[in-house]
């Protein structure tokens, strides 16, 4: 082997394809070989990892609200992508809402692409939205390169991104099935939420009661029944209710094309430990009780839940109502984009899971969901997106030191295991002090 650009030697590499001592050989943007550790690679620049470092594929986060343009004071492409890279993420897929305009037609997608151009530190793709009145826009958005379509079954939190009723969801599924598009669903039932006790004040239990698990379970039943009827591919976002797990398992066993994700906060945090007034913990669906969390971990181990992604949904401090601690009026969203790998690893290792499991949940499976055929693995033919991780190193989270635009996170002060020391994007080290060099991704363009 001659003339290669880079060889990275790691005593321990963990990928979906195995684990071992390897020399990863990179030519340009691409991995061209995974060789034995001592393989000779003449002419290549050599990087040798420290003994306490593990080489991982760059993570793929398919659930991120960047909010840019329109609400860039909440977050923005430069700050979000810096935070992602610092957390070992090398590809993210941006959600269609909270930006203005929302990504619900091709002109709005073009606005989003212009806002992101030359401002991203990693590779970024985009979801489209399915909202009332845009059925005719779905195919053009698909052809323009979005990776799928997000819908809500209840108010989304922002008025410009409307939610679908059951008939509209079915119509969207039938349209997407004509070109094998993917519908990703915020699954909480509108009527169940409307019938729950209203939430106000600082009591976290009151907020939890206002978003009952049965609302999520009922919505998941509706989605899988419509998917069974239409043949559409569907994905259940941010599963928080353990009661949804057997519904998903049964549907999949019956041939429904359904996948599911959960998030670090549902795997690490529990309702019993959330202080009253701590609105930095508010998200929708909510963080539930300890026994529920344990069942979500079982579902990950069983493969019923396929992936773990951040659902990074930041806001400005005033919208979190930190001064009043009112869960009824505070914005619902967790800021964790930079911390996901460390949070999940800290919890996973305590439950007997290994780094290979974490890589499957946070790199391989999200890339497969979005159809990113060159991401999420360390293997020949894949982009040389790589993460150097020190799994035994500990740190204490300081929100003020994170790259997120606003220093709010429920993990502030929490001790975590695992530190990301550096990343490569398509064969080049990422320098967060240099000009960004990420690419904008479109479906099928790999």
């Amino acid at each position: 082997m001659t003339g290669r650009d880079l060889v990275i030697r790691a005593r321990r590499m963990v990928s979906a394809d195995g684990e071992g001592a390897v020399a990863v050989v990179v030519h340009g943007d691409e991995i061209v070989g995974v060789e034995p550790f001592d393989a000779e690679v003449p002419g290549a620049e050599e990087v040798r990892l420290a003994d306490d470092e593990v080489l991982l594929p760059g993570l793929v986060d398919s659930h991120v609200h960047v909010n840019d343009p329109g609400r860039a004071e909440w977050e923005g492409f430069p700050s979000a992508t810096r935070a992602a890279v610092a957390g070992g993420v090398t590809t993210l897929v941006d959600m269609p809402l909270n930006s203005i305009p929302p990504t619900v037609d091709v002109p709005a997608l073009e606005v989003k692409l212009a806002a992101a151009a030359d401002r991203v530190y990693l590779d970024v793709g985009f979801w489209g939205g399915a909202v009332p009145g845009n059925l005719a826009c779905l195919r053009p958005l698909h052809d323009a390169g979005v990776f799928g379509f997000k819908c809500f079954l209840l108010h989304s939190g922002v008025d410009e991104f409307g939610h679908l009723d059951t008939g509209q969801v079915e119509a969207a599924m039938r349209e997407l099935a004509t070109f094998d598009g993917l519908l990703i669903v915020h699954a909480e039932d509108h009527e169940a939420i409307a019938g729950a006790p209203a939430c106000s004040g600082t009591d976290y239990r009151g907020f939890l009661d206002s978003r009952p698990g049965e609302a999520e379970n009922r919505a998941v039943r509706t989605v899988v029944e419509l998917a069974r009827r239409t043949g559409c591919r569907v994905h259940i976002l941010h599963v928080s209710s353990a009661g949804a797990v057997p519904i998903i398992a049964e549907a999949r066993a019956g041939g429904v094309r359904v996948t599911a994700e959960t998030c670090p906060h549902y795997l690490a945090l529990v309702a019993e430990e959330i202080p009253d007034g701590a609105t930095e913990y508010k998200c929708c669906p909510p963080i539930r009780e300890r026994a529920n969390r344990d069942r979500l971990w079982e579902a990950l181990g069983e493969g019923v839940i396929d992936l773990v992604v951040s659902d990074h949904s930041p806001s400005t401090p005033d919208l979190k109502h930190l001064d009043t601690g009112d869960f009824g009026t505070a914005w619902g969203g967790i800021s964790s984009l930079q911390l996901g790998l460390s949070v999940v690893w800290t919890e996973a290792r305590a439950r007997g899971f290994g780094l290979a499991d974490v890589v499957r949940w946070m790199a391989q499976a999200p890339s497969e969901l979005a159809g990113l055929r060159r991401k999420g693995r360390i293997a020949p033919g894949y982009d040389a997106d790589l993460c150097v991780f020190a799994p035994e190193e500990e740190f204490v989270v300081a929100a003020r030191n994170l790259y997120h635009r606003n220093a709010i996170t429920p993990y502030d002060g929490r001790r975590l295991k695992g530190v990301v020391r550096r990343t490569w994007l398509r064969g080049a080290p990422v320098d967060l002090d240099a000009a960004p060099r990420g690419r904008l991704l479109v479906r099928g363009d790999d």
Side-chain angles (χ1 to χ4, degrees):
M1 303 176 66
T2 61
R4 303 308 187 190
D5 296 329
L6 173 68
V7 58
I8 302 172
R9 300 189 191 275
R11 289 290 180 189
R12 188 179 175 204
M13 178 276 293
V14 178
S15 182
D17 299 295
E19 178 173 342
V22 300
V24 177
V25 187
V26 177
H27 181 71
D29 291 355
E30 183 178 329
I31 297 169
V32 295
V34 180
E35 307 292 340
F37 179 84
D38 292 321
E40 293 188 11
V41 188
E45 174 190 355
E46 181 171 307
V47 174
R48 188 178 292 255
L49 270 56
D51 289 344
D52 68 334
E53 296 176 336
V54 181
L55 186 65
L56 308 178
L59 304 187
V60 177
D61 194 335
S62 56
H63 194 151
V64 179
H65 295 270
V66 178
N67 308 334
D68 192 356
R71 291 190 174 97
E73 70 275 13
W74 295 15
E75 193 61 274
F77 283 109
S79 57
T81 56
R82 278 191 177 99
V85 168
V89 178
T90 51
T91 305
L92 67 79
V93 189
D94 174 57
M95 283 292 168
L97 73 156
N98 300 348
S99 56
I100 302 174
T103 314
V104 296
D105 55 31
V106 172
L109 175 62
E110 292 170 348
V111 171
K112 180 72 69 79
L113 291 167
D118 302 319
R119 299 177 68 225
V120 296
Y121 284 84
L122 44 62
D123 289 352
V124 176
F126 303 92
W127 298 110
V131 298
N134 84 326
L135 193 64
C137 300
L138 302 184
R139 183 60 186 257
L141 274 168
H142 175 81
D143 292 343
V146 301
F147 289 92
F149 300 88
K150 181 175 186 177
C151 75
F152 280 76
L153 304 189
L154 79 172
H155 193 278
S156 69
V158 291
D159 292 337
E160 67 272 8
F161 196 94
H163 69 279
L164 303 182
D165 62 28
T166 301
Q168 291 167 327
V169 174
E170 181 170 0
M173 285 189 186
R174 291 196 182 281
E175 173 67 10
L176 296 182
T178 65
F179 52 87
D180 200 31
L182 173 66
L183 187 68
I184 65 175
V185 185
H186 181 123
E188 288 182 285
D189 184 80
H190 169 75
E191 292 183 359
I193 297 292
C199 171
S200 65
T202 62
D203 178 30
Y204 183 77
R205 170 53 62 178
F207 169 61
L208 188 57
D209 290 343
S210 76
R211 313 289 293 216
E214 182 51 33
E216 196 172 347
N217 304 341
R218 186 185 302 180
V220 171
R221 289 190 197 97
T222 298
V223 170
V224 298
E225 177 54 36
L226 293 175
R228 180 180 290 110
R229 192 182 305 169
T230 62
C232 183
R233 292 190 295 134
V234 296
H235 177 71
I236 308 299
L237 298 166
H238 44 49
V239 173
S240 80
S241 170
V245 169
I247 302 168
I248 295 165
E250 181 181 5
R252 190 177 295 170
V256 177
R257 296 196 292 168
V258 56
T259 52
E261 70 184 41
T262 193
C263 306
H265 40 280
Y266 301 128
L267 298 171
L269 307 175
V270 293
E272 294 92 334
E273 297 176 359
I274 296 177
D276 287 348
T279 54
E280 63 269 29
Y281 288 85
K282 180 179 176 180
C283 56
C284 299
I287 296 161
R288 304 192 189 277
E289 299 87 350
R290 181 175 283 102
N292 182 90
R293 178 190 65 177
D294 293 344
R295 180 66 188 111
L296 294 180
W297 276 105
E298 292 173 5
L300 270 173
E302 295 162 356
V304 180
I305 295 177
D306 303 272
L307 55 139
V308 181
V309 287
S310 69
D311 189 13
H312 179 70
S313 185
S315 71
T316 52
D318 59 303
L319 292 176
K320 273 297 193 183
H321 291 193
L322 300 171
D323 54 343
T324 66
D326 189 338
F327 281 100
T329 58
W331 175 260
I334 298 288
S335 295
S336 65
L337 182 56
Q338 187 171 334
L339 300 171
L341 175 57
S342 299
V343 170
V344 173
W345 171 237
T346 299
E347 298 294 324
R349 71 193 300 277
R351 290 168 172 79
F353 293 103
L355 275 175
D357 299 304
V358 175
V359 166
R360 184 174 68 256
W361 301 328
M362 302 187 75
Q364 177 189 356
S367 64
E368 290 176 349
L369 172 73
L372 294 163
R373 293 172 295 197
R374 294 176 57 87
K375 304 292 187 181
R377 290 176 181 262
I378 299 177
Y382 281 74
D383 286 347
D385 297 347
L386 303 164
C387 165
V388 177
F389 187 59
E392 298 304 317
E393 185 176 347
E394 295 186 356
F395 70 104
V396 176
V397 177
R400 67 184 182 277
N401 294 332
L402 300 175
Y403 285 99
H404 308 154
R405 182 176 294 278
N406 295 290
I408 307 169
T409 179
Y411 300 107
D412 190 33
R414 194 177 185 96
R415 180 173 292 276
L416 299 176
K417 278 268 194 183
V419 172
V420 175
R421 291 185 176 168
R422 50 183 158 165
T423 57
W424 285 268
L425 177 66
R426 287 177 280 103
V430 181
D431 182 353
L432 296 180
D433 295 319
R437 52 176 295 273
R439 291 178 179 169
L440 305 184
L441 305 174
V442 296
R443 181 193 48 78
D445 188 25
D446 59 352

